[in-house]
Amino acid sequence: MRETTELTEAAGRFADRLRAAPQSRLLRGAAAEGLSLARELALRAQRLEAPGAAPRTMPDAGPFAVGDQVTVAVNDFAEAWRAALAGAGPEAGRAALQAELAGAVSLVREAEARAGL
């Protein structure tokens, strides 16, 4: 759990800001940034859980749901990442998973910056 704290806390802050944002700000691009992030995290979780499987796209549930979509996607990613780490054998596999986690943290921070919240 501790390994994914930085990711879940960063995504939680962004999701909270999305939930608190006025409609005008959401429609000016913040919701689109949140949805793009949620979709990317969902795809990354799917690749960890079932490599090679056909990806599924998270639907657009509207600007007022995007904070919840970010939360669901980051929690799914964190769970898939922890499961993959538990099953990783060689050190190279663990290093790749650590890089995947660091990339996800960067995605969250960049999306929040672009959203302007």
Side-chain angles (χ1 to χ4, degrees):
M1 195 71 141
R2 193 174 19 156
E3 298 93 353
T4 60
T5 299
E6 184 179 8
L7 173 64
T8 56
E9 286 180 354
R13 282 189 303 273
F14 183 35
D16 287 344
R17 289 182 176 138
L18 287 166
R19 288 184 194 104
Q23 181 178 3
S24 60
R25 177 138 325 171
L26 291 171
L27 296 178
R28 280 194 306 252
E33 283 297 335
L35 179 60
S36 178
L37 172 65
R39 285 178 169 170
E40 180 60 29
L41 290 172
L43 288 174
R44 289 175 181 225
Q46 289 173 49
R47 283 195 298 258
L48 288 171
E49 291 173 334
R56 298 172 311 277
T57 302
M58 180 177 279
D60 183 345
F64 299 112
V66 74
D68 293 333
Q69 288 181 291
V70 168
T71 299
V72 167
V74 78
N75 287 330
D76 285 350
F77 175 84
E79 187 60 34
W81 184 87
R82 284 191 294 270
L85 186 66
E91 191 60 34
R94 295 177 75 78
L97 286 169
Q98 291 294 340
E100 180 75 23
L101 179 61
V105 172
S106 293
L107 280 175
V108 171
R109 291 186 174 145
E110 291 165 7
E112 185 173 14
R114 284 191 304 271
L117 299 177

